[in-house]
């Protein structure tokens, strides 16, 4: 089963780019972030015509997550548990059914950016990470093949940035953010990319500003966290960096894992 995460940065602006990539790569499940669309305005038809079932958790103008799947999506959860007053659309989870142990639980998440540091935005990021850690522990206890896929807005280590010094004052690289990622992996979640490579030139995001793409000033913030049951089935991982060089690209690129299911 091929499972991907892709921050699309506006589904309506990039629907053609998305359908082109889907046609080329034929992933089984795709977790989208920053769809920037309400549910009823999401352009599902072009995706359904390619054979995908679509579930969304949208929000007008910003945020928003979705799961596309060639298999049916069951028991869909919208919203990260732990704060009933949180109205930001940043989390959607569903079961992708299969035969026996071929069922996979998949979540698409868009962790808050948190900038600027020292504001309520960073406090919200920290609170959201705590809620995600609690929910992830509950998912781990289910002993299922589970993939937490998304834009985590976390640079785990200096190796994950072309120029780490540029990010020292950014929320993505703060001790609190990096500690959360260490806490997640220490709890048994596998960083899919780092399970297959220790390269220092592995990025998933290049800013639109200051020629970051042409200068290859990238960072790795889009991650696939695998439960032990999913990690045991991991065959390969690929970052489709070439997509960033296409017309009207997202500033993120797809990260794709193949699981033996």
């Amino acid at each position: 089963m091929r499972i991907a995460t892709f921050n699309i940065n506006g589904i309506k602006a990039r629907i053609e780019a998305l359908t082109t990539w889907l046609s080329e790569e034929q992933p089984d499940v795709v977790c989208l972030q920053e769809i920037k669309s309400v549910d009823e305005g999401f352009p599902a038809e072009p995706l359904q015509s390619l054979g995908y079932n679509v579930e969304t958790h949208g929000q007008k103008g910003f945020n928003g997550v979705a799961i596309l799947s060639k298999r049916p999506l069951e028991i869909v959860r919208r919203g990260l548990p732990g704060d009933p007053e949180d109205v930001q659309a940043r989390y959607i989870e569903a079961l992708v059914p299969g035969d026996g142990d071929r069922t996979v639980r998949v979540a698409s998440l868009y962790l808050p950016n948190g900038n600027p540091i020292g504001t309520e935005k960073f406090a919200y990021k920290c609170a959201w990470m705590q809620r995600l850690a609690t929910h992830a522990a509950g998912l781990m206890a289910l002993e299922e093949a589970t993939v937490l896929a998304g834009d985590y807005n976390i640079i785990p280590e200096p190796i994950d940035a072309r120029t780490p010094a540029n990010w020292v004052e950014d929320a993505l690289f703060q001790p609190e953010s990096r500690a959360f990622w260490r806490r997640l992996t220490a709890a048994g979640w596998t960083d899919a990319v780092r399970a297959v490579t220790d390269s220092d030139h592995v990025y998933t995001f290049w800013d639109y500003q200051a020629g970051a793409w042409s200068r290859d000033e990238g960072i790795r913030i889009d991650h696939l966290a695998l439960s032990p049951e999913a990690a045991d089935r991991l065959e390969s991982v690929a970052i489709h960096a070439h997509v960033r060089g296409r017309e009207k690209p997202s500033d993120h690129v797809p990260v794709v894992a193949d699981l033996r299911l």
Side-chain angles (χ1 to χ4, degrees):
M1 182 179 291
R2 177 164 289 180
I3 301 175
T5 184
F6 192 2
N7 180 321
I8 198 65
N9 193 14
I11 185 67
K12 294 178 183 177
R14 317 213 193 276
I15 187 64
E16 291 185 11
L18 177 60
T19 55
T20 296
W21 177 76
L22 291 172
S23 298
E24 292 170 348
E25 301 298 333
Q26 297 293 318
D28 299 290
V29 180
V30 181
C31 297
L32 299 177
Q33 301 87 41
E34 275 200 281
I35 61 174
K36 299 181 181 179
S37 169
V38 294
D39 294 336
E40 56 269 25
F42 186 89
E45 186 174 341
L47 307 172
Q48 292 167 339
S49 69
L50 293 175
Y52 288 96
N53 297 288
V54 178
E55 293 288 349
T56 64
H57 181 35
Q59 189 170 352
K60 185 177 181 180
F62 59 102
N63 297 333
V65 287
I67 301 177
L68 318 178
S69 174
K70 290 189 173 181
R71 290 173 177 256
L73 290 166
E74 299 179 350
I75 315 178
V76 179
R77 174 197 291 273
R78 290 174 173 83
L80 183 66
D83 183 358
E85 296 184 359
D86 184 6
V87 297
Q88 296 193 28
R90 294 183 175 274
Y91 187 90
I92 186 170
E93 174 190 309
L95 281 179
V96 183
D99 300 327
D101 63 358
R102 296 178 65 191
T103 294
V104 180
R105 185 180 299 273
V106 177
S108 178
L109 64 95
Y110 178 42
L111 203 146
N113 176 284
N115 283 303
I117 301 168
T119 69
E120 62 181 17
K121 292 184 177 181
F122 189 67
Y124 175 65
K125 180 188 184 93
C126 292
W128 210 93
M129 290 189 294
Q130 177 58 51
R131 288 162 55 201
L132 180 58
T134 299
H135 185 56
L139 295 177
M140 181 70 75
L142 297 176
E143 298 185 352
E144 299 174 336
T146 303
V147 180
L148 302 180
D151 175 0
Y152 280 73
N153 271 315
I154 293 173
I155 305 170
E157 299 291 343
I159 194 176
D160 297 306
R162 175 66 182 271
T163 308
N166 291 348
W167 300 92
V168 171
E169 301 299 326
D170 195 284
L172 279 62
F173 200 47
Q174 290 307 292
E176 295 90 338
S177 303
R178 296 171 61 196
F180 165 77
W181 187 252
R182 290 194 300 272
R183 177 182 176 186
L184 199 67
T185 55
W189 296 91
T190 294
D191 179 339
V193 167
R194 288 300 174 212
V196 301
T197 182
D198 58 0
S199 172
D200 62 353
H201 195 81
V202 180
Y203 312 128
T204 66
F205 171 91
W206 294 260
D207 198 282
Y208 291 128
Q209 306 299 319
W213 169 246
S214 61
R215 295 185 296 108
D216 198 24
E217 282 289 343
I219 55 176
R220 188 174 74 96
I221 58 175
D222 302 271
H223 308 302
L224 297 165
L226 312 180
S227 70
E229 294 77 11
D232 287 346
R233 294 163 170 78
L234 180 64
E235 290 191 330
S236 65
V237 182
I239 297 175
H240 293 188
H242 65 280
V243 175
R244 182 63 174 82
R246 293 180 171 176
E247 186 176 354
K248 292 186 67 175
S250 171
D251 41 8
H252 299 251
V253 298
V255 184
V256 185
D258 286 306
L259 302 183
R260 186 178 61 257
L261 292 169

